[in-house]
Amino acid sequence: MERQKDKKMKILCLHGFRTSGSFLQKQISKWDASILSQFDMEFPDGKFPAGGKSDIEGIFPPPYFEWFQFDKDFTEYTNLEACISYICDYITSKGPFDGLLGFSQGATLSGLLLGYQAQGKLLKEHPAFKFFISISGSKFRKPSICEIAYKDRIKVKSVHLIGDKDWLKLPSEELASEFHNPLIIRHPQGHTVPRLDEVATEQLREWTKTIIQSNTGTTPRPPLDSNHELKNGEAKSPVVAASCNKVQNGQLETSGVLNTEKTEREVEAVQA
């Protein structure tokens, strides 16, 4: 039993559209190593080879992959069921996994898996996932999917990194609203795995530390002070923990927002 507790928790990391597992691994390497050093992480490639040009051509070597295909309104999906079967087989054969991490399409797919598992639609024999790190994720739009995956608030500990200049900013907020007490970390960049300043690094490090402590049965330290007022949607203090309740009129209602200060130029998703 003690040996089981001593084992590192495992995270399954799902990359973005028409990139690869190795590219996501490089993107995550921007972060301070202390944030995820206590986890074992796996970075599989998507089931399907990229069906078109990749945004990282000339920046990161091929091959490139995608998890599934979709229309311009993101309401119709091709090969989604095959993708879900593929990733569930991977999880069953390579797991168990304790948590999921995803960027863009990978985060969107991860959120779907969590919602489906909570509703008993898949991975019934796999232990419930304990946590989720979402970077620029979004919800599926098809009603038949939403009625199941987002039927209830997903009671998995989650942190959502949302860029002020991300074209998926509002969809990312909508995804966060489907989780129970999510932590929101905002950053000034676009659609990217962001570089984190010291404040965001400490916040994310403390969050992952509580995940590990919960798993080992040790007592988590008190959270960072979150008693800061918001004015015009911006925090008066650079350190504000966020607990999202819902999206109303396109805006998240929160008990706080962590805004990372702009300490460097914007780094887009195609840069590592």
Side-chain angles (χ1 to χ4, degrees):
M1 185 68 175
E2 290 303 316
R3 291 185 65 185
Q4 184 70 22
K5 282 188 175 183
D6 290 341
K7 289 179 63 176
K8 286 186 174 183
M9 301 179 78
K10 290 180 65 174
I11 306 178
L12 181 63
C13 307
L14 305 184
H15 63 77
F17 186 61
R18 293 180 181 170
T19 62
S20 65
S22 56
F23 181 65
L24 177 58
Q25 188 171 12
K26 185 173 183 180
Q27 289 178 295
I28 295 297
S29 70
K30 301 176 194 177
W31 295 352
D32 189 287
S34 63
I35 294 174
L36 297 170
S37 61
Q38 299 302 308
F39 299 91
D40 282 332
M41 306 176 71
E42 292 195 18
F43 296 82
D45 293 322
K47 177 175 174 58
F48 302 100
K53 182 178 175 58
S54 169
D55 287 337
I56 63 172
E57 288 181 19
I59 297 172
F60 192 85
Y64 312 121
F65 303 88
E66 54 198 48
W67 294 104
F68 57 91
Q69 300 80 42
F70 48 90
D71 66 0
K72 62 182 179 63
D73 296 322
F74 203 64
T75 55
E76 295 296 330
Y77 318 102
T78 304
N79 292 318
L80 179 58
E81 290 302 319
C83 165
I84 291 173
S85 294
Y86 169 78
I87 199 65
C88 286
D89 287 345
Y90 186 96
I91 290 170
T92 301
S93 62
K94 303 288 187 179
F97 290 92
D98 298 282
L100 299 174
L101 177 152
F103 170 68
S104 195
Q105 189 182 49
T108 301
L109 177 59
S110 296
L112 179 67
L113 294 174
L114 293 169
Y116 273 180
Q117 188 190 41
Q119 295 300 326
K121 184 176 173 64
L122 48 73
L123 295 172
K124 297 177 183 179
E125 303 302 318
H126 185 278
F129 291 105
K130 300 180 178 72
F131 61 95
F132 174 38
I133 300 173
S134 174
I135 311 160
S136 297
S138 63
K139 290 171 57 177
F140 281 84
R141 300 293 181 191
K142 193 170 185 176
S144 60
I145 292 177
C146 296
E147 289 168 3
I148 300 174
Y150 316 122
K151 179 181 179 182
D152 301 309
R153 289 280 174 85
I154 302 171
K155 295 180 179 180
V156 172
K157 294 179 181 178
S158 67
V159 58
H160 302 257
L161 283 76
I162 302 176
D164 291 338
K165 297 179 182 179
D166 191 349
W167 59 278
L168 282 180
K169 177 182 176 181
L170 286 178
S172 294
E173 292 175 341
E174 291 172 356
L175 177 63
S177 73
E178 298 298 338
F179 286 80
H180 178 70
N181 289 333
L183 171 67
I184 311 296
I185 297 180
R186 297 190 184 274
H187 60 85
Q189 300 161 42
H191 193 67
T192 184
V193 175
R195 297 182 185 275
L196 302 177
D197 65 13
E198 292 183 4
V199 173
T201 295
E202 179 62 19
Q203 185 75 4
L204 191 52
R205 183 191 295 121
E206 286 299 315
W207 185 85
T208 57
K209 188 181 296 183
T210 62
I211 296 295
I212 294 170
Q213 290 172 331
S214 296
N215 189 58
T216 58
T218 56
T219 303
R221 60 180 285 184
L224 296 177
D225 179 21
S226 60
N227 296 319
H228 296 271
E229 296 181 7
L230 300 179
K231 185 175 183 180
N232 299 324
E234 295 184 357
K236 294 180 180 179
S237 167
V239 182
V240 184
S243 177
C244 154
N245 295 316
K246 60 183 177 179
V247 176
Q248 187 174 53
N249 298 324
Q251 298 292 324
L252 272 178
E253 292 183 0
T254 71
S255 62
V257 175
L258 175 68
N259 283 290
T260 66
E261 297 175 344
K262 190 167 185 177
T263 58
E264 58 185 294
R265 67 183 179 83
E266 181 173 334
V267 182
E268 290 300 327
V270 296
Q271 296 175 300

